[in-house]
Amino acid sequence: CLNISNSQFVEGARLQSSDCQQATSQIFTYDENTQLLTIGGLCVGLGGRGNDAAAVSLGACAGQPNQLWRVVANGEYYRFIGMDDRCLDSANLFNVQNCVLQSTTQLWVLVEAP
């Protein structure tokens, strides 16, 4: 599951992968209207622009382009597509990469919070 390390909801905190459990550090909210992905009162955003592996981290929600995500269905899975059409990728310490249709590291399952 997508997770925030040690439940540290602070600006600059990086995303990580961990075993799925009912933890607040794994409950993200996506708002289709604002296109913001949030957790702990902060937004998930891209740290860099235009490079092939922009880091993803938490920051104050400002609705800036680096914090906007499109969620696109791909069968029973979803892709989170950010600025410059880069996909959230579980490989490479949760950076965004060029979207590759065959990449399983860019496919996500959405579940309802407990």
Side-chain angles (χ1 to χ4, degrees):
C1 280
L2 189 59
N3 187 59
I4 302 300
S5 179
N6 299 321
S7 298
Q8 295 294 316
F9 301 117
V10 296
E11 289 189 41
R14 297 286 307 267
L15 283 66
Q16 67 177 22
S17 177
S18 69
D19 292 335
C20 295
Q21 51 193 304
Q22 293 183 357
T24 58
S25 61
Q26 295 179 347
I27 300 174
F28 292 78
T29 302
Y30 177 73
D31 185 320
E32 290 182 36
N33 295 319
T34 63
Q35 294 185 309
L36 296 175
L37 181 62
T38 62
I39 187 168
L42 297 170
C43 283
V44 176
L46 307 178
R49 183 184 168 95
N51 65 30
D52 286 340
V56 179
S57 62
L58 295 182
C61 295
Q64 298 298 315
N66 68 318
Q67 293 179 333
L68 303 180
W69 297 89
R70 288 180 295 138
V71 178
V72 178
N74 184 350
E76 62 188 70
Y77 299 99
Y78 296 85
R79 292 182 189 278
F80 285 85
I81 304 172
M83 189 172 59
D84 296 334
D85 289 326
R86 310 262 188 219
C87 283
L88 181 62
D89 195 308
S90 63
N92 303 315
L93 300 175
F94 289 99
N95 293 333
V96 289
Q97 304 287 332
N98 287 328
C99 295
V100 178
L101 291 179
Q102 298 81 10
S103 176
T104 58
T105 61
Q106 295 176 351
L107 296 177
W108 300 89
V109 175
L110 303 180
V111 296
E112 294 291 325

